[in-house]
Amino acid sequence: MRGEMAVRRFGPYRQTLAWVVAVLAAVGLLAVNVGVYNGMIDFYLTGVLVIAWINIILAVSLNLINGFTGQFSLGHAGFMAVGAYVSGLLTILLNWPFPVVLIIAGLISALIGLFIGLPTLRLRGDYLAIATLGFGEIVRVILLNLKITGGPRGLGGIAPKTTFFSAEIVALITIIIITNIVRSSHGRALVAIREDEMAAEAMGINTTRYKVMAFSIGAAFAGIAGALFAHHQMFIDPRSFTFQRSIEILVIVVLGGLGSITGSIVAAIVLTILPEALRGMAQYRMVVYSLLLIGLMLIRPQGLFGTKELQDFLGYGITKALPKGSARQVASNNGGGDR
Amino acid sequence: MVELTQEIIQQLVNGISLGSIYALIALGYTMVYGIIKLINFAHGDIYMIGAFTGFFAITILNLPFLPALFVAMVVAALLGVIIERLAYRPLRNSTRIAALITAIGVSFLIQNIALLAWKPDPRAFPDVFPFRSYQVWGIYLDNRQLVILGVALLLMVILHYVVHYTRIGRAMRAVALDDEAARLMGIDVDRVISITFAIGSALAAAAGVLVGIYYNRIDPMMGVMPGLKAFVAAVLGGIGVIPGAMLGGLVMGVAEVMVVAILESTWKDAVAFAILIIILLVKPAGLLGRQTREKV
Amino acid sequence: MSLLEVRDLTMQFGGLTAVERFGLTLNEGDIVGLIGPNGAGKTTVFNCLTGMYRPTSGEICLFSKRIDGLHPHEITQLGMARTFQNIRLFKDLTVFDNIRIAFHYQINYSLACAVLRLPGFTSEERLILGKTDELLKIFDLYDQRNEIASNLPYGEQRKLEIARALAANPRVLLLDEPAAGMNPHETEELTKLIQWVKDRFQLTVFLIEHDMRLVMGLCQRILVLDYGITIAEGTPHEIQNNRAVVEAYLGEEAL
């Protein structure tokens, strides 16, 4: 009965589309893994896929801040930069094992996220956006002026430790962690803040603590993504982390839908692969990007998925709004437990 | 001691020249924000378009300075109105974040079209006023600084007159206070918003031409940093408050010049944002703004 | 024992005094009303009590503990919940989620527990699920549990907001104009509901209301606020016959 309702609400066509996307994703994931493992996918394409995984991490983590908690951050590139430089230096100077380097990069980014978040998260909406943008720019200027980071010349000679598989594992872990956070009481507290901060506070939710928490977790994963990026490119400089970068991540999140994890994943893949497919028109890439952004806001400001997840469109999705910590339990209750 | 004083005054003079440019750009931000609560991210790019229009008016149309300035202002005003019509007006009733993202999109679009059309390399702005320097009590002042100060001051006086002593100015203030009430009083709110965008964009274009004259070079990305800094100036002065934008612009200009004099020029872009974060945390309403309280 | 004790509460905004030397004692099981003309400072009193505003001066004690200066969430966690004059539901969430979120602070599992999906997570989530459904049934909202909150009719939204406040497990409930925008029939239903909820959950209720029938029918005691000053306090009967009140407030309606 709920299935019928879903069909009526989304239309049979969308349900079919959702299944196509889901099947494609599963088959694609398998094929790509086999392809990379066998060496059937060449070096260049593998590089694109690594970037896709990194963008997924960036988008999903930014979504936790912007989409689920409703705190508009434009500083994600700043955290990415912190992770990239910290990890790069650790590898170059100390040559620590890669997983340790990744974790430290994440922790330091989280710490800086905490430090930035505590004062700035008092700000709302566009003011917070501008303050976080300012933070990102300050990070960039600091990197430009420090000796140890190589200043404007950048940091080179970072060992290429990021592989397709390491990026994949980190991305999958990111998705699982953030999904599990969102589908818990802690995640519902974040969504409550997005919906109405004052009411959330009145319901006993420590809104400051949760905003800072979301911000730090998002920052941590941005830092890890930055570390993967550094060990993939082998060279980083402050120009890789301008606020344009933050906006590219934002575009992914908005396109996928603020508050939809699967939306972020799909959008990250599309927006990583698409420019590669249109490589002949490289100079139009940013024009297309900006038109996409404007068009999206005018036509479908909620993004492709809105706050829904792919599985909500498959037919057995029950609750319409996130979070749906126990959608399946609700289903069984509905089916058998009606008195 | 005298030398130090002279040095400080010299930097103040330089800072005020730069600051009056920030102030001109900041006025557009503040007016638009005051009226529709939107950070018009594309404002810095309108300033860039103004500079390029002035450039082409002088080099291709062979216009002298003042007519070229006028052409740049008119073109930018039209562009501002068109952007508002096409991109912002349809979103007036949606969330502010959606409008902000759209504004970012418009900004990127203008930049990238300009990059395609005019190439990323900087161009030399024609030498409209051959450099001439004057020395007063050991302080150097050049004719370009005088032009900037003169034009900026004149435009601000005109703006002040328009906002305070004309019908349209009164309508603008009414819409800024309460657009719904203004509508009920028979004010054509859409028209007022269009005119606000036109005025703000024209001022930004004037700033663009002045910068071209001052630094002798323009490029498609020139609007990004000054745009952000002018926004910071508007916030610093108290967003929505016109005298605040002027004050904020001057403070920003002076602060930046001082940092360059004391530290290194590579730090100057961080100053603006450091000021921004501090002001947002200490006095979020800005220097001249009024504190408001969220209604429960 | 007095649950809530307010002494000399004063709230100023700039030079404007919104509430002056407000005093109140709520005893276990009381149901007290706060009335007064528009702009008299009633909601300001609520905002001070719930920590939304920090009072300029005065003392507020809940269960003999000073609460002025605490954050709203801390006060809610101590056992005082509120509703809002202009209904502040989580509009885009389901009826079910609106209630479920209010159980948040009663949840004990940690973030790590949620990330790793440890047994504590599952059992507590199941518990909350049951409690939420129970509350929905009590308030007759169970059939609309999957409906988006903003799609509910106005009266149901008010009901949902009260149910949500109850999910936060309060001993003191503050209701800000619960009958605003309701027709006489709905108001009558609401009056019964408040009385019933109060008895069922053993609550102490403090409410702001414009609707005289609701206040007079429900409250044991009434305070009248005018320009921030308490001009009268007493039983409904005493208030109805108080000259100052009739002049300041009821006068308008009597005419």
Side-chain angles (χ1 to χ4, degrees):
Chain A
M1 182 251 189
R2 299 295 309 180
E4 277 167 34
M5 265 189 72
V7 172
R8 207 173 40 201
R9 186 165 289 113
F10 309 129
Y13 147 78
R14 285 202 196 171
Q15 196 188 2
T16 314
L17 192 68
W19 275 105
V20 170
V21 172
V23 170
L24 267 181
V27 172
L29 188 64
L30 191 71
V32 161
N33 271 285
V34 171
V36 173
Y37 188 75
N38 286 348
M40 272 150 58
I41 293 180
D42 68 14
F43 182 74
Y44 175 78
L45 197 57
T46 308
V48 174
L49 293 171
V50 170
I51 295 293
W53 285 125
I54 292 175
N55 282 339
I56 288 175
I57 301 173
L58 289 167
V60 171
S61 58
L62 186 66
N63 206 343
L64 184 72
I65 304 172
N66 287 20
F68 289 96
T69 321
Q71 304 301 306
F72 214 80
S73 168
L74 278 179
H76 228 46
F79 295 117
M80 195 188 167
V82 171
Y85 274 91
V86 166
S87 67
L89 288 171
L90 283 178
T91 297
I92 291 171
L93 302 176
L94 303 169
N95 198 21
W96 282 359
F98 194 41
V100 176
V101 168
L102 286 180
I103 290 170
I104 293 178
L107 286 179
I108 291 184
S109 301
L111 212 64
I112 291 181
L114 188 75
F115 178 73
I116 299 295
L118 270 177
T120 52
L121 284 167
R122 279 191 291 157
L123 304 168
R124 273 156 221 269
D126 34 18
Y127 279 92
L128 177 66
I130 292 294
T132 48
L133 187 159
F135 151 74
E137 287 296 293
I138 289 174
V139 168
R140 195 176 57 80
V141 173
I142 290 174
L143 292 174
L144 217 50
N145 282 284
L146 284 184
K147 285 231 163 55
I148 190 168
T149 60
R153 280 174 294 110
L155 194 64
I158 306 168
K161 294 189 177 181
T162 303
T163 62
F164 172 84
F165 296 105
S166 60
E168 179 178 38
I169 290 167
V170 177
L172 292 178
I173 291 175
T174 307
I175 294 168
I176 291 170
I177 291 180
I178 292 185
T179 306
N180 282 358
I181 291 175
V182 165
R183 297 184 173 193
S184 74
S185 191
H186 302 287
R188 293 194 291 270
L190 300 181
V191 173
I193 293 170
R194 175 188 78 197
E195 292 293 314
D196 187 331
E197 194 173 334
M198 187 81 75
E201 182 77 25
M203 290 302 110
I205 294 168
N206 186 345
T207 53
T208 310
R209 186 175 143 230
Y210 273 99
K211 283 197 286 183
V212 173
M213 184 194 91
F215 201 67
S216 306
I217 294 173
F221 285 108
I224 292 172
L228 288 170
F229 178 78
H231 290 78
H232 171 67
Q233 301 280 334
M234 298 183 283
F235 168 80
I236 46 176
D237 73 12
R239 269 166 303 178
S240 313
F241 309 106
T242 57
F243 88 94
Q244 274 90 342
R245 182 78 202 211
S246 295
I247 289 174
E248 284 182 35
I249 307 168
L250 175 71
V251 174
I252 297 176
V253 176
V254 171
L255 176 71
L258 287 159
S260 169
I261 292 173
T262 38
S264 286
I265 298 170
V266 170
I269 295 170
V270 169
L271 286 187
T272 314
I273 309 284
L274 195 68
E276 297 301 326
L278 305 172
R279 208 140 48 94
M281 329 166 28
Q283 76 258 47
Y284 297 106
R285 185 174 137 246
M286 288 312 290
V287 175
V288 172
Y289 246 79
S290 31
L291 283 174
L292 193 69
L293 195 56
I294 301 169
L296 200 65
M297 282 299 110
L298 293 178
I299 299 159
R300 199 174 163 79
Q302 73 271 42
L304 295 177
F305 286 58
T307 56
K308 297 186 184 74
E309 299 291 349
L310 185 63
Q311 53 271 33
D312 294 344
F313 293 98
L314 294 180
Y316 57 78
I318 302 300
T319 43
K320 280 156 286 175
L322 280 166
K324 51 186 84 52
S326 36
R328 233 149 287 165
Q329 291 173 34
V330 174
S332 62
N333 271 12
N334 263 5
D338 269 358
R339 278 149 283 232
Chain B
M1 195 61 214
V2 173
E3 262 173 38
L4 184 68
T5 320
Q6 279 178 341
E7 175 66 23
I8 289 173
I9 295 177
Q10 179 70 61
Q11 297 300 345
L12 270 178
V13 169
N14 297 346
I16 288 170
S17 309
L18 181 64
S20 54
I21 287 169
Y22 287 151
L24 280 180
I25 312 175
L27 284 169
Y29 271 119
T30 235
M31 289 166 70
V32 166
Y33 194 93
I35 228 155
I36 56 170
K37 301 284 173 285
L38 166 74
I39 299 176
N40 181 14
F41 240 86
H43 195 60
D45 305 290
I46 290 176
Y47 148 92
M48 177 271 292
I49 295 289
F52 270 87
T53 311
F55 172 82
F56 290 123
I58 293 168
T59 52
I60 297 178
L61 303 178
N62 282 319
L63 290 179
F65 170 67
L66 279 178
L69 181 73
F70 184 72
V71 169
M73 289 173 75
V74 170
V75 168
L78 281 175
L79 181 65
V81 171
I82 291 169
I83 290 173
E84 193 274 325
R85 265 284 154 76
L86 296 183
Y88 301 157
R89 188 169 298 181
L91 284 167
R92 207 169 292 155
N93 293 320
S94 58
T95 62
R96 279 166 67 179
I97 289 305
L100 181 70
I101 296 174
T102 309
I104 292 172
V106 172
S107 164
F108 268 39
L109 185 65
I110 298 176
Q111 280 165 26
N112 286 291
I113 289 176
L115 279 173
L116 284 178
W118 301 324
K119 304 284 169 279
D121 321 294
R123 294 168 190 235
F125 204 83
D127 234 350
V128 193
F129 299 99
F131 186 80
R132 212 176 295 147
S133 182
Y134 314 96
Q135 196 179 5
V136 188
W137 194 64
I139 290 152
Y140 291 93
L141 205 72
D142 63 61
N143 53 342
R144 291 164 180 174
Q145 287 177 324
L146 290 175
V147 170
I148 288 175
L149 287 173
V151 172
L153 199 65
L154 180 71
L155 288 175
M156 286 182 201
V157 169
I158 294 174
L159 178 71
H160 181 82
Y161 175 80
V162 169
V163 170
H164 287 274
Y165 300 102
T166 61
R167 279 179 64 90
I168 182 66
R170 211 176 308 139
M172 282 164 66
R173 283 181 291 148
V175 174
L177 276 177
D178 186 339
D179 58 340
E180 217 28 66
R183 203 187 301 273
L184 292 173
M185 291 298 125
I187 292 174
D188 184 348
V189 174
D190 283 342
R191 191 170 144 263
V192 171
I193 293 174
S194 287
I195 291 173
T196 307
F197 267 87
I199 295 177
S201 304
L203 293 173
V209 176
L210 293 176
V211 155
I213 288 169
Y214 196 45
Y215 290 123
N216 261 328
R217 46 176 280 167
I218 57 173
D219 70 88
M221 299 303 282
M222 67 185 274
V224 178
M225 266 302 146
L228 287 174
K229 287 175 189 169
F231 173 74
V232 175
V235 175
L236 175 62
I239 194 135
V241 187
I242 287 177
M246 300 181 193
L247 177 68
L250 293 180
V251 172
M252 280 285 301
V254 171
E256 193 174 315
V257 168
M258 291 293 176
V259 165
V260 173
I262 297 165
L263 286 167
E264 250 177 291
S265 67
T266 42
W267 283 102
K268 74 172 192 215
D269 288 347
V271 184
F273 296 107
I275 292 181
L276 174 78
I277 291 174
I278 293 167
I279 196 82
L280 284 178
L281 298 179
V282 178
K283 199 170 185 302
L287 295 175
L288 304 183
R290 215 181 290 156
Q291 207 86 29
T292 51
R293 181 181 275 277
E294 194 194 1
K295 216 168 143 48
V296 181
Chain C
M1 191 194 98
S2 76
L3 295 188
L4 182 68
E5 184 92 42
V6 184
R7 270 186 299 270
D8 289 332
L9 176 75
T10 299
M11 183 75 216
Q12 292 170 326
F13 298 110
L16 187 93
T17 305
V19 175
E20 198 173 337
R21 298 177 66 86
F22 178 83
L24 168 75
T25 306
L26 274 188
N27 293 312
E28 180 99 55
D30 274 358
I31 178 157
V32 176
L34 179 63
I35 64 172
N38 279 324
K42 303 183 296 292
T43 297
T44 305
V45 169
F46 262 38
N47 287 339
C48 290
L49 295 185
T50 51
M52 307 256 161
Y53 293 165
R54 184 181 290 259
T56 313
S57 64
E59 241 178 65
I60 307 168
C61 295
L62 183 67
F63 316 127
S64 315
K65 182 182 187 305
R66 277 290 286 269
I67 59 163
D68 44 294
L70 292 189
H71 289 287
H73 70 264
E74 295 171 311
I75 294 171
T76 305
Q77 293 183 7
L78 281 174
M80 183 159 74
R82 72 174 288 179
T83 64
F84 295 89
Q85 189 178 342
N86 46 343
I87 311 186
R88 298 187 79 138
L89 289 171
F90 304 116
K91 289 193 203 67
D92 297 330
L93 302 186
T94 58
V95 169
F96 180 79
D97 275 334
N98 263 278
I99 305 278
R100 180 157 66 158
I101 283 171
F103 282 108
H104 171 75
Y105 84 81
Q106 300 156 63
I107 272 176
N108 293 315
Y109 64 75
S110 66
L111 191 66
C113 185
V115 168
L116 300 172
R117 288 290 191 250
L118 298 179
F121 168 82
T122 325
S123 62
E124 280 205 63
E125 280 291 297
R126 196 161 297 149
L127 198 71
I128 295 303
L129 208 69
K131 283 186 177 177
T132 305
D133 280 345
E134 194 186 321
L135 209 53
L136 285 171
K137 281 175 189 152
I138 288 174
F139 278 82
D140 214 8
L141 287 164
Y142 188 78
D143 294 336
Q144 290 103 306
R145 69 206 291 277
N146 292 320
E147 198 57 66
I148 298 291
S150 57
N151 292 344
L152 290 185
Y154 188 79
E156 306 262 276
Q157 291 193 22
R158 284 263 173 226
K159 223 160 74 175
L160 176 59
E161 211 196 9
I162 297 175
R164 186 182 66 174
L166 288 177
N169 195 26
R171 287 177 67 195
V172 180
L173 181 64
L174 307 187
L175 302 171
D176 195 348
E177 295 198 29
M182 287 189 174
N183 63 36
H185 174 70
E186 286 172 326
T187 306
E188 203 172 307
E189 293 281 295
L190 181 78
T191 311
K192 280 184 209 153
L193 180 77
I194 294 174
Q195 186 66 53
W196 185 81
V197 163
K198 174 189 170 298
D199 296 337
R200 169 82 163 64
F201 292 89
Q202 297 172 342
L203 295 172
T204 303
V205 179
F206 184 41
L207 60 87
I208 294 176
E209 190 46 69
H210 272 300
D211 191 291
M212 280 310 134
R213 257 174 318 172
L214 185 144
V215 179
M216 298 299 168
L218 207 53
C219 299
Q220 304 151 337
R221 249 180 329 126
I222 294 169
L223 282 82
V224 188
L225 215 56
D226 193 22
Y227 293 108
I229 296 165
T230 311
I231 57 168
E233 180 174 358
T235 63
H237 185 73
E238 288 165 359
I239 294 297
Q240 275 167 323
N241 298 308
N242 184 309
R243 258 194 86 87
V245 176
V246 174
E247 270 171 26
Y249 181 53
L250 293 175
E252 299 166 37
E253 291 199 349
L255 285 174

